[in-house]
Amino acid sequence: MLVSPDGSRWTLPGGRAEPGETAHDALVREVAEEACATVTRARLLGYARGTSVAGPELGLVLVRAMWLAEVVVEPWSPRFEMTHRELVPAAEAFGRVEVEAGQEHIYRRHFLEAGLPVD
């Protein structure tokens, strides 16, 4: 399941944890908010750590938790920044996700850890 703010740039649902949330809590909330889906099971694949090198968050260290999640897709009713949702075959997902420059190897590794094709 991919989401998009504009119908042309597709990504995986995600976002930052709110105060007091665990990484799993953030996963459940973000999937509900961005993709109108309910997480029924999830497996943590790993973490990616990066430091912002420009802009208003210069120097900020971000740690991203990467998950493989099973979901129940709910009726599409976008209320937040993602205005489009698309269900795609697993074999096509990696090729459809827009990845920031320099992050390709991280996403490739996480897709492989999830047992999903990357070519």
Side-chain angles (χ1 to χ4, degrees):
M1 176 171 43
L2 303 178
V3 293
S4 172
D6 59 12
S8 64
R9 295 174 293 128
W10 295 94
T11 188
L12 301 168
R16 296 182 186 176
E18 293 182 353
E21 276 188 327
T22 66
H24 185 268
D25 293 340
L27 166 73
V28 170
R29 179 183 51 76
E30 290 288 352
V31 168
E33 289 179 359
E34 293 189 354
C36 298
T38 301
V39 174
T40 58
R41 186 166 35 172
R43 177 170 58 98
L44 180 63
L45 299 173
Y47 294 95
R49 179 182 181 271
T51 304
S52 182
V53 296
E57 295 183 334
L58 177 67
L60 180 67
V61 175
L62 295 174
V63 177
R64 294 179 177 148
M66 302 298 276
W67 298 86
L68 174 62
E70 293 180 15
V71 302
V72 172
V73 178
E74 307 293 348
W76 182 238
S77 179
R79 297 177 293 141
F80 296 95
E81 66 274 14
M82 296 303 173
T83 58
H84 296 77
R85 173 181 75 186
E86 188 169 346
L87 304 177
V88 300
E92 297 176 18
F94 183 78
R96 297 281 309 279
V97 172
E98 183 174 297
V99 179
E100 299 169 38
Q103 301 292 312
E104 298 90 351
H105 66 288
I106 294 170
Y107 279 80
R108 180 176 294 279
R109 173 68 186 264
H110 288 298
F111 270 72
L112 289 171
E113 290 287 333
L116 299 173
V118 295
D119 293 320

